[in-house]
Amino acid sequence: MHPSKPLNLFFILTVMIRLCFADLPSFREAPAFRNGRECPQTTWSSLDKEIHNPSIIHIAMTLDTAYLRGSVAGVFSVLHHATCPENIVFHFVTTHRHGAKLTRAITSTFPYLNFHLYYFNTNLVKGKISSSIRRALDQPLNYARMYLADLLPAGVRRIIYFDSDLIVVDDVINLWSINLRSHVLGAPEYCHANFTNYFTSKFWSNPAFAASFKGRPRNPCYFNTGVMVIDLWKWREGKYTEKLENWMRIQKRYRIYELGSLPPFLLVFAGDVEGMEHRWNQHGLGGDNLEGLCRALHPGPVSLLHWSGKGKPWLRIDSKRPCPLDSLWAPYDLFRHPSLFSNS
């Protein structure tokens, strides 16, 4: 036996043990981002339960161990391009399981970040979730966006919701300041998509279900729920969480869709959304939900790149099989690549 083989086996076993018992990923500390001179000097506290401060930008994201690397890159991109980064408050939603570790990860990576953590009670949705075409879409935290109005303080009137697989390459104030008019929700709409494909034949063959979209201000169009601007006050007044939950109960009984948390949003809001420029959600960069193949950008300007779909840029980069557009995500990746044989 060659004398080096036992040594190699020892290193392999050491690496496997480290991977099995590894903590959360380690990240480089982000620089401190400061406001420009033109920014209003203001602060926000969660104790200001009834006070709405329009100078503060509120952004909600979920935090979990599988997507933490994407979340960190997303936060970094927002701060990097913001004129008034100190006027941004992040609202992170997670579960009790890893809350303390995730908080430490965010605090050590962004020491100057103004953020608040909220625990999502997964029991609210566990009995309502139906299996979908991709397992990741079935995770309870994927449904937390439906409960932002219940989780966040009453003083937060408006919220931007971001998925954890995107980067912003524009000043987020331009997204924050869109006029929602009478609408509860704003998002880029894609009316060229075949809307009927988002629901099963059982849905369209049921006259009561198919009539759900009648009476809307406009014809229903697909929109991606990974980027939304939401008026939480109007959401609460209209009891929209209850409306979404109702469709989830119907789904459990009749199986009217296959795509996780998206279809309930379409059923409740499609045709009554404040449309936004497509530049604010160049989505689908993760390919489809089955193979995650490489895709090109949609025509037009870009303010936000979104790797919705199966393929995630950090996984493809680590596997040495990146797609061309993954190179646009890489500069915002603060992941600290460990040395496998480091003693530290």
Side-chain angles (χ1 to χ4, degrees), residues 94-253:
T94 189
T95 61
H96 282 279
R97 185 178 180 186
H98 298 291
K101 292 181 179 180
L102 291 166
T103 299
R104 288 195 296 270
I106 293 296
T107 302
S108 62
T109 308
F110 302 102
Y112 309 97
L113 188 68
N114 189 352
F115 76 92
H116 298 266
L117 193 75
Y118 308 85
Y119 289 107
F120 177 58
N121 180 6
T122 57
N123 291 327
L124 290 171
V125 295
K126 277 186 176 177
K128 304 181 184 76
I129 296 176
S130 302
S131 60
S132 63
I133 61 173
R134 186 158 62 90
R135 188 175 180 181
L137 302 177
D138 303 337
Q139 301 306 308
L141 203 56
N142 194 42
Y143 291 80
R145 70 195 77 189
M146 297 180 177
Y147 296 87
L148 294 176
D150 299 326
L151 291 166
L152 273 58
V156 181
R157 176 166 187 167
R158 170 183 287 218
I159 194 77
I160 296 174
Y161 175 81
F162 281 153
D163 269 350
S164 296
D165 52 1
L166 57 78
I167 56 170
V168 177
V169 293
D170 197 349
D171 193 339
V172 75
I173 187 66
N174 297 321
L175 176 61
W176 175 254
S177 59
I178 72 160
N179 186 354
L180 290 179
R181 299 176 224 279
S182 61
H183 300 288
V184 177
L185 185 151
E189 295 180 291
Y190 304 89
C191 296
H192 63 278
N194 188 343
F195 194 78
T196 59
N197 289 342
Y198 293 97
F199 303 96
T200 65
S201 57
K202 286 184 179 180
F203 176 87
W204 295 112
S205 63
N206 185 311
F209 295 160
S212 303
F213 297 107
K214 290 184 178 180
R216 304 283 173 97
R218 293 178 287 107
N219 289 332
C221 294
Y222 161 75
F223 65 94
N224 180 279
T225 57
V227 178
M228 298 183 288
V229 181
I230 303 171
D231 187 321
L232 293 179
W233 287 7
K234 289 181 180 177
W235 182 292
R236 295 183 185 106
E237 289 175 0
K239 299 182 177 180
Y240 283 95
T241 297
E242 295 179 15
K243 294 176 181 179
L244 292 164
E245 288 180 328
N246 182 56
W247 279 113
M248 292 174 68
R249 293 187 187 97
I250 293 173
Q251 158 73 354
K252 289 287 287 187
R253 182 174 180 181

Side-chain angles (χ1 to χ4, degrees), residues 61 66-75 163-167 314 329:
M61 300 176 72
Y67 283 79
L68 180 60
R69 190 168 165 187
S71 299
V72 167
V75 172
D163 269 350
S164 296
D165 52 1
L166 57 78
I167 56 170
W314 57 93
W329 181 89

Side-chain angles (χ1 to χ4, degrees), residues 260-309:
S261 63
L262 168 65
F265 273 89
L266 297 180
L267 286 162
V268 173
F269 292 106
D272 196 9
V273 171
E274 179 61 35
M276 291 158 31
E277 290 183 85
H278 288 180
R279 67 190 301 152
W280 284 109
N281 196 350
Q282 284 271 351
H283 68 291
L285 304 185
D288 59 24
N289 281 301
L290 299 176
E291 297 183 66
L293 301 178
C294 298
R295 285 186 177 175
L297 286 173
H298 305 289
V302 179
S303 293
L304 184 150
L305 298 125
H306 186 188
W307 279 261
S308 58

